[in-house]
Amino acid sequence: MAFSRIRTLDPPSRGISRRAAVMLGSLLTSLLLLHCLTDRCSTTSPVKASSSRAAGLFEDLRWQRTKRLVYEWPAGSEPVGSGAARRSSRVPADELLEQAVMLPPPDLVASGKVSPRFAGKLSPLGEGSKKLPQALIIGVKKGGTRALLEFLRVHPDIRAVGAEPHFFDRNYENGLEWELMPKTLEGQITMEKTPSYFVTREAPARISAMSRDTKLIVVVRDPVTRAISDYTQTLSKKPDIPSFESLTFKNRTTGLIDTSWSAIQIGIYAKHLDNWLQYFPMDQILFVSGERLISDPAGELGRVQDFLGLKRIITDKHFYFNQTKGFPCLKKAEGSSKPHCLGKTKGRTHPNIDPEVVQRLRDFYRPFNMKFYQMTGRFFGWDD
């Protein structure tokens, strides 16, 4: 019979079946992972309730993909995970924004293995809210405020505006709804810096009206060196301005200093501080030495972090000294894996100033400096 020639196929062996099942399972898993990594598995589904276990599984898988990039901020500087992450322990927290794409599972955050505030920095959804600043760098111009701000932005619990908003001196009429602050999470400090606030008469009252609890930071520097630096900056923009010597005096013969010139007036720190103390107690104002910010940046940053109630995350390991510029630079800045120094507008070479004029200025500032030392309880050593 014709049918007798038809041979039936033997069933596949169990080994082959298992291999086929594994391959099929791997293929499906890869497709689902690809689906998740393109952020589609976060889309709301009609069967969300019935698929919560599967969603949790894939959330864990997504987390596994990025956990080696995550550090335990601000609880410490050791990374969660192992391998390459441990070899990159100097990477600042904000740099991970460029690499990580999702939040860790809530149970890991709840367990304390990952800081909730740092976890929030990994969110692709821009979570958080804009808040009024709780701390301000209010001065002084050419004192080192830009360096301080850039150093502080390395800290995972500080969010700061890069540009100077000039809200409390030039833009106050826009109202407090004028939104320039970055989004922050609970526990993070919102900051801004505008050095001209320190010498703006109306600024203390305006900031106090916003919040009497605002913490104020002032970077101060030898007023004579600061004045020359101020002049050098102006000279770079207006090469035809008069000499420093001629601008310093109302009458050079009598030696009368022209205190109406802003380069001189800014350095009378005690006078400006009197105005601020009408609205804020001294324990809400921190004075940072511009000189020590260069010679010992980690030490000054430690004082600032303590003042703000933050853990000392920024330490010596974050800095290296740039011999060409003559000041410290960050090994890795916020949001970058590369070393970062301040721009070419910082660290300009000062013009040669008549030594007699420099001495006249030192004599002029000495009584103001002494009063400032008494008011702040700190000796800055400008009159040695």
Side-chain angles (χ1 to χ4, degrees):
M1 294 178 62
F3 291 112
S4 64
R5 295 176 182 169
I6 299 177
R7 296 180 56 190
T8 58
L9 296 175
D10 293 331
S13 67
R14 291 186 179 182
I16 295 175
S17 297
R18 281 196 296 268
R19 286 196 296 272
V22 169
M23 291 176 63
L24 180 59
S26 298
L27 177 61
L28 290 174
T29 301
S30 299
L31 290 173
L32 286 170
L33 280 174
L34 181 62
H35 182 70
C36 281
L37 293 176
T38 55
D39 286 335
R40 293 174 185 170
C41 62
S42 60
T43 305
T44 303
S45 168
V47 292
K48 181 177 180 180
S50 63
S51 62
S52 59
R53 183 175 179 182
L57 169 64
F58 289 114
E59 190 65 25
D60 286 345
L61 288 170
R62 297 172 74 194
W63 169 241
Q64 290 295 326
R65 178 177 177 268
T66 56
K67 74 174 183 178
R68 59 194 175 127
L69 302 174
V70 182
Y71 288 68
E72 195 173 338
W73 294 92
S77 59
E78 290 296 321
V80 176
S82 59
R86 293 194 182 278
R87 295 192 295 272
S88 306
S89 59
R90 290 184 177 179
V91 178
D94 285 341
E95 181 188 338
L96 301 179
L97 282 169
E98 299 177 351
Q99 305 173 47
V101 293
M102 78 276 307
L103 285 166
D107 59 326
L108 284 182
V109 176
S111 70
K113 293 180 180 178
V114 179
S115 161
R117 294 193 291 277
F118 177 61
K121 286 198 171 189
L122 300 180
S123 173
L125 304 178
E127 294 177 359
S129 59
K130 291 187 177 183
K131 301 172 186 176
L132 295 173
Q134 297 109 314
L136 299 170
I137 300 174
I138 60 173
V140 297
K141 180 183 179 185
K142 307 310 296 180
T145 59
R146 171 55 57 184
L148 178 61
L149 183 70
E150 293 302 309
F151 296 163
L152 284 174
R153 289 176 72 178
V154 172
H155 200 292
D157 283 347
I158 291 178
R159 307 301 288 163
V161 181
E164 296 175 3
H166 284 280
F167 175 72
F168 294 102
D169 57 356
R170 302 177 189 171
N171 297 294
Y172 193 66
E173 69 279 359
N174 291 330
L176 290 174
E177 298 78 17
W178 194 50
E179 293 186 346
L180 288 182
M181 298 299 107
K183 288 184 177 181
T184 56
L185 299 172
E186 188 65 31
Q188 289 180 326
I189 293 176
T190 304
M191 291 188 68
E192 68 116 311
K193 93 153 177 100
T194 302
S196 54
Y197 290 164
F198 189 62
V199 297
T200 300
R201 178 163 293 278
E202 300 81 10
R206 291 171 175 178
I207 295 171
S208 178
M210 174 189 72
S211 173
R212 294 181 180 179
D213 297 324
T214 305
K215 292 189 175 183
L216 309 171
I217 301 173
V218 190
V219 187
V220 288
R221 181 184 183 188
D222 179 341
V224 177
T225 308
R226 196 221 65 82
I228 296 172
S229 180
D230 198 337
Y231 173 80
T232 303
Q233 180 177 6
T234 304
L235 183 65
S236 69
K237 300 174 182 177
K238 301 176 181 179
D240 57 344
I241 61 171
S243 68
F244 179 87
E245 290 83 352
S246 62
L247 291 170
T248 297
F249 299 100
K250 283 185 177 180
N251 186 321
R252 184 157 186 185
T253 303
T254 62
L256 184 62
I257 303 293
D258 187 359
T259 57
S260 66
W261 184 31
S262 63
I264 300 296
Q265 194 257 352
I266 290 172
I268 309 175
Y269 302 140
K271 171 186 173 183
H272 304 303
L273 180 55
D274 265 334
N275 188 33
W276 285 90
L277 292 177
Q278 304 303 310
Y279 298 90
F280 292 93
M282 186 65 80
D283 61 6
Q284 278 181 234
I285 308 175
L286 179 71
F287 294 91
V288 174
S289 166
E291 288 82 10
R292 283 184 59 82
L293 198 57
I294 294 174
S295 64
D296 181 21
E300 286 300 283
L301 265 293
R303 295 180 62 246
V304 176
Q305 291 170 93
D306 291 346
F307 175 68
L308 296 175
L310 300 174
K311 181 172 180 178
R312 289 195 175 196
I313 296 292
I314 308 169
T315 61
D316 281 322
K317 71 179 184 180
H318 289 88
F319 302 100
Y320 74 95
F321 192 82
N322 186 301
Q323 297 290 345
T324 303
K325 284 185 170 289
F327 50 74
C329 301
L330 288 168
K331 290 181 180 177
K332 292 176 182 176
E334 180 193 36
S336 173
S337 60
K338 299 178 181 179
H340 173 68
C341 280
L342 299 180
K344 62 181 181 180
T345 61
K346 307 298 180 183
R348 295 186 183 95
T349 302
H350 292 177
N352 293 322
I353 306 297
D354 185 338
E356 181 185 349
V357 174
V358 172
Q359 188 57 51
R360 290 271 188 98
L361 279 175
R362 295 209 174 281
D363 294 340
F364 167 77
Y365 278 121
R366 185 170 292 107
F368 296 109
N369 291 345
M370 293 302 174
K371 183 180 179 183
F372 184 66
Y373 299 162
Q374 293 174 354
M375 295 172 76
T376 61
R378 187 177 184 187
F379 179 72
F380 290 90
W382 300 324
D383 303 284
D384 290 347

